[in-house]
Amino acid sequence: MASFEKYNQDSDHPPVILSQCTKSSFVQNPDCDEIVESDKEVVLHQNQKWKSSIISCLVSLISLLFTQFTLSLLPLLLPFIILLLLLPLSALLLVIVVGLGRFCKNVAGVRASPPAFVFFSIFYIWAIYIFVVRKAISSFLDIVFNVQIIMIILGLCRIMSSDPGFVTRLSSCHDLFLQSPPSEADAQEEELEVSISMVHQESPAEETFTRHRRVRYCKLCKNYVMGFDHHCPAFGNCIGQRNHALFLVLLVGFAVSEASYVVSAYQFISKFQTSKEAGGKAIISRNLVVGSMLFCLIQVVWQVVFIMWHVYCASFNIKTDEWINWRKYPEFLIKVNPHAGEPQTGIRFINPYSKGILRNLKEFLSCKQ
């Protein structure tokens, strides 16, 4: 050590200033050891996270292939049943696959990744279309369908990375939120008297307070979200004030693109109806197309129902979480005076945020921050 310092003094170069961690090579320093151990723990945690993500994606891929394989077996095992009658059996198979996924999660500790399943489903349908179905489709419909798929992929990436309205220390409503955080305990202690006069023409300041008042907690994201509607496992993100309109547009895009695939697949099947005309190779292709078409039909059915629900919520300015758990939030509760002979006061639902359908839709589409 002394010779090293002497070399610095005798040299023409400026003295070398050793950092605390550099000196630890000569003198052991407990603080530097703690830093090194902390870095090792961070790297180990990241490696485990990557490993878990890869395993989840593999499970999702296996689940998708198993689902599509079983769906493609239906027309082979039941060749004389029309497609509409195969739809309930397809739905039953999907329920079984979901049950197997939960079984693997509980027993083996391995779970699938819903966003990965959605991505793999898109690319699987796209591959079946490109290599099989597009032969029977006109050039115009081919271009339209491919553009739809590209837009769906871009929209999916956008909503997965979007901010639904997380409340952070830098957000405008953080101070207001700290003064009156929306906790379930406070909701139970508050008086359940809400005046109907709350529904009135609000000033900009009152609208800001109203939006901040609708901050809800997501247990999966472990964050407070402005205008929280629900947590979407398929998109891997919360749906809140800032991405609710994008979510609805993306749902419509999924339904339209899957309906387009169903129409294209039906045109393909109608051209290759019998195995004698098409041959053995085309039978396999036809079964794959039928299985993927049944999958898309089921998706379209529940997506249309989901779209109708969210249009209803947007029209009346209410969130899915608020509709389900309205008894937890005092602003949705109003006391009803008991009639003669009734021992207790009743509680009735009231929506203080509705301003009329047109204003509600305008507010929904404006995506106010």
Side-chain angles (χ1 to χ4, degrees), residues 258-309:
E258 287 164 346
S260 300
Y261 178 81
V262 170
V263 173
S264 302
Y266 184 79
Q267 292 181 9
F268 172 84
I269 294 171
S270 63
K271 290 187 177 182
F272 298 92
Q273 291 182 349
T274 62
S275 59
K276 292 181 180 179
E277 296 176 357
K281 184 178 179 181
I283 293 177
I284 299 175
S285 299
R286 178 183 178 277
N287 292 337
L288 290 175
V289 172
V290 171
S292 58
M293 186 177 70
L294 291 171
F295 179 80
C296 288
L297 272 173
I298 295 172
Q299 300 297 316
V300 170
V301 170
W302 76 260
Q303 284 167 0
V304 168
V305 175
F306 215 41
I307 289 169
M308 293 172 62
W309 166 252

Side-chain angles (χ1 to χ4, degrees), residues 165-167 177 180-184 187 210-219 221-230 238-240 317-323 325-326 328-332 351-353:
F166 290 128
V167 175
F177 175 67
S180 56
S183 64
E184 187 174 349
T210 300
R211 293 197 301 273
H212 295 163
R213 186 181 183 183
R214 301 179 82 172
V215 173
R216 315 297 184 197
Y217 184 73
C218 176
K219 296 180 181 178
C221 291
K222 295 180 173 56
N223 273 311
Y224 288 95
V225 183
M226 288 189 293
F228 175 73
D229 186 84
H230 71 285
C238 282
I239 305 303
N317 201 354
I318 191 167
K319 308 297 182 182
T320 302
D321 174 72
E322 294 172 344
W323 181 268
N325 303 308
W326 63 274
K328 294 182 180 180
Y329 307 124
E331 64 267 31
F332 293 101
N351 185 5
Y353 301 118

